[in-house]
Amino acid sequence: KSANLVNLENHLQKIKQISNLPIAVGFGINNKEQINQIEKIGANGVVVGSALVGEIADGLNRNLQPSQIVDLVLEKVRKFLN
């Protein structure tokens, strides 16, 4: 594990000692590998907002139509789920 992942795992453990609430981790999660790693260290959920905003920005930079941008975002979500 990377140092950041170990650090995150330690923080999750501390939070779980004081709360029974579900814990979601986010900020900069961009691929399925990162999602899998975060799930393995004990997070209950993963926030992938940065990745979705990135897809929207990419579509806008490429002058895509709104429906095409939606398709980009949906494809990204599908990759995260599979």
Side-chain angles (χ1 to χ4, degrees):
K1 290 182 195 174
S2 72
N4 287 338
L5 201 55
V6 170
N7 192 28
L8 178 59
E9 184 174 20
N10 290 336
H11 286 298
L12 286 173
Q13 302 278 333
K14 289 177 185 175
I15 293 168
K16 287 183 177 215
Q17 289 175 359
I18 60 171
S19 175
N20 292 326
L21 294 173
I23 302 169
V25 174
F27 295 104
I29 309 302
N30 289 305
N31 60 57
K32 182 68 173 174
E33 180 182 342
Q34 290 172 322
I35 292 170
N36 291 339
Q37 290 174 336
I38 291 169
E39 287 176 336
K40 285 179 185 174
I41 63 170
N44 302 100
V46 181
V47 180
V48 294
S50 300
L52 302 182
V53 169
E55 292 299 316
I56 293 168
D58 179 53
L60 291 172
N61 288 336
R62 294 170 39 202
N63 295 317
L64 297 179
Q65 295 297 312
S67 62
Q68 293 171 304
I69 295 172
V70 169
D71 288 341
L72 283 178
V73 171
L74 290 175
E75 181 59 30
K76 187 72 163 187
V77 170
R78 285 185 195 100
K79 286 180 183 177
F80 288 148
L81 295 175
N82 295 322

